[in-house]
Amino acid sequence: MSIGDMGQVVAVVPAKGTSRRAPGKNLAMVGGIPMFCHAIRVAAAVRTIDAIVVSSDDARIIELARAEGVRAESRPPALCKDDATNFDVLRHLLATLRREGTDPELLVLLQPTTPFRSPGPLAEMIGRLREDHEASSLVTVAPINRLSGAIEGARWHPGPARGTRMKATEQRYALTGHVFILRPRRTLDMGVLLGEEVLPVSLPADWLDIDVDVPADLMIAQSVADTYFKIPAS
């Protein structure tokens, strides 16, 4: 799909080739394909996503993304550093799209390290954000079922801050990283990733809460992928 054919909803897959904690993880085989390709394929199965763009610093990832039939953008040197963030990548890509004449209504950020998604719930999330005109963005969340705290002076202190007592009935939630959907004019254009009105959506029951960060995470993902994606035995 050429840039001139792009619609209002653009999915972005930020797939670096380098990783300090799990080198080469985005190219690792998970469920029969490179891990980052799962993000491409789930986006391709959602009718309301008009275009998919992969951003990478790796020639092999660029090559494989194009083989999947999507646009792949090589990152400039400044975005190939370890401290480059998704915010930086999205801002750069948004500027590129606008220069080419496309001003997306929504950007759908699909991190390749959370491959266990399905298209139905993703399509519903896009619809929910479109219906909630007050929301600046949408994120997937999961309940935190452990008491969290901080370590100060070699001691652990419960609660969000020392001396703060959490209500026994208060439920806290963490971002899962599976989906971030942004209204660019109310987020990136204002210098923030999510904005002030963030719509939370609980992680769908059939999505696995696995985020591949270290080699052990990758081993877990590979061990369950064939069953999850129903890959036939060779």
Side-chain angles (χ1 to χ4, degrees), residues 108-129:
V108 181
L109 174 63
L110 298 173
Q111 298 188 117
T113 53
T114 52
F116 299 102
R117 292 172 286 230
S118 55
L122 179 56
E124 292 174 4
M125 292 175 198
I126 294 171
R128 286 189 62 177
L129 183 57

Side-chain angles (χ1 to χ4, degrees), residues 75-96:
R75 297 185 183 184
L79 295 182
C80 296
K81 299 177 181 178
D82 288 337
D83 60 353
T85 65
N86 284 332
F87 173 80
D88 299 325
V89 171
L90 291 173
R91 280 284 296 267
H92 176 264
L93 179 59
L94 180 62
T96 299

Side-chain angles (χ1 to χ4, degrees), residues 7-27:
Q8 288 290 315
V9 180
V10 178
V12 181
V13 180
K16 289 180 65 177
T18 57
S19 171
R20 287 176 296 177
R21 295 164 66 88
K25 63 184 179 183
N26 284 326
L27 283 168

Side-chain angles (χ1 to χ4, degrees), residues 8 22 30 37-38 43 45 58-59 62 66 112 138 159 167 214:
Q8 288 290 315
V30 174
C37 289
H38 288 289
D58 186 272
I62 295 289
R66 290 172 178 164
L138 177 149
K167 296 179 181 178
V214 296

Side-chain angles (χ1 to χ4, degrees), residues 28-55:
M29 299 301 287
V30 174
I33 62 175
M35 184 169 67
F36 84 95
C37 289
H38 288 289
I40 295 175
R41 294 189 183 186
V42 74
V46 176
R47 293 178 59 186
T48 49
I49 291 178
D50 301 293
I52 304 165
V53 183
V54 173
S55 169

